[in-house]
Amino acid sequence: MTEMTRLQQRGVRLPRTERRAQLLAAAQRVFAENGYHAAAMDEIAEVAGVSKPVLYQHFPGKLDLYIALLESHVDELVKRVQNALDSTTENKQRVPATVGAFFDFVSNDAGAFRMVFESDLRGEPAVQEAVDRATSASVDAITETITADAGLDEDKARLLAVGLVGMSQVSARFWLQHHQSMSQEEAVALTANLAWRGIGGGFPLKDA
């Protein structure tokens, strides 16, 4: 059964967590196609295959739904970064894995990265808080790793982490717009090589 078929089924009772995931998937589709302001709760309910009262049982309003969806995308990005850092104990492999986490997130067909990095609702405090967490939580995870492995104090490690996150995010978004002549693997390798030569060359492991 395809996801769309599943979304369009009406009258099927689902566990609350599964129903919530279904509604978020429908909302992602509608927000991606129409943008926040043009999206309507009626359409989201229709795409999800539920009645509006069911939708409102889970999300009191459109902004609540948008923020919940945004938070789920931020959680996904942070998890990708953390998994990349945990995937190996070799920093030479950690750097491309971390850069690749951003490229994988940006290249997701659902367009989640646009909500995280290009949201037009940053005037909403809850939205801005979630967007800021996408960067701050990634920076925190990388800072902890650099501090432990390179023996730098936290301020210096955090500055390097901010640089790696910024480089990865901006490079990934640029690549997505101009990737016709370059594969994702090549783009990740180029970006990671630049980062590694700086971090690996200037700040080797303490016991190296």
Side-chain angles (χ1 to χ4, degrees):
M1 181 183 299
T2 66
E3 179 65 18
M4 188 51 60
T5 300
R6 188 160 168 253
L7 286 176
Q8 291 176 335
Q9 285 186 328
R10 288 187 178 274
V12 177
R13 294 185 62 85
L14 296 175
R16 184 173 180 81
T17 55
E18 191 171 346
R19 177 68 77 193
R20 181 182 174 88
Q22 177 194 39
L23 297 174
L24 289 174
Q28 175 61 40
R29 176 185 167 190
V30 175
F31 284 135
E33 290 178 354
N34 303 326
Y36 175 82
H37 295 291
M41 294 291 273
D42 302 67
E43 183 177 2
I44 293 171
E46 178 65 28
V47 171
V50 301
S51 65
K52 281 183 66 177
V54 169
L55 178 58
Y56 281 110
Q57 284 175 7
H58 292 263
F59 303 101
K62 185 168 69 169
L63 181 59
D64 301 280
L65 178 53
Y66 183 89
I67 291 171
L69 184 58
L70 174 60
E71 289 281 6
S72 72
H73 292 329
V74 171
D75 289 342
E76 177 193 351
L77 174 59
V78 174
K79 184 177 180 180
R80 285 179 184 271
V81 171
Q82 189 63 66
N83 287 345
L85 293 169
D86 294 342
S87 65
T88 176
T89 57
E90 295 292 331
N91 282 344
K92 192 171 183 178
Q93 280 74 51
R94 272 189 179 135
V95 171
T98 303
V99 172
F102 283 89
F103 275 78
D104 287 341
F105 181 72
V106 165
S107 63
N108 188 310
D109 288 339
F113 83 97
R114 290 190 174 88
M115 291 187 68
V116 176
F117 299 129
E118 300 173 5
S119 175
D120 57 355
L121 290 180
R122 293 197 179 204
E124 290 287 343
V127 171
Q128 185 62 57
E129 183 179 349
V131 170
D132 289 345
R133 185 169 68 85
T135 298
S136 63
S138 298
V139 167
D140 287 345
I142 297 170
T143 296
E144 183 178 348
T145 300
I146 294 176
T147 301
D149 288 353
L152 295 178
D153 64 57
E154 184 176 347
D155 287 342
K156 292 177 181 177
R158 185 168 298 277
L159 181 61
L160 291 176
V162 169
L164 181 58
V165 168
M167 179 189 301
S168 301
Q169 179 202 132
V170 174
S171 297
R173 292 166 62 193
F174 178 85
W175 166 80
L176 188 66
Q177 295 177 342
H178 307 279
H179 72 285
Q180 292 86 352
S181 62
M182 186 185 307
S183 69
Q184 180 175 334
E185 291 75 16
E186 184 179 2
V188 169
L190 285 169
T191 306
N193 188 49
L194 175 61
W196 174 248
R197 286 181 181 276
I199 295 176
F203 305 100
L205 288 170
K206 288 182 292 186
D207 57 356

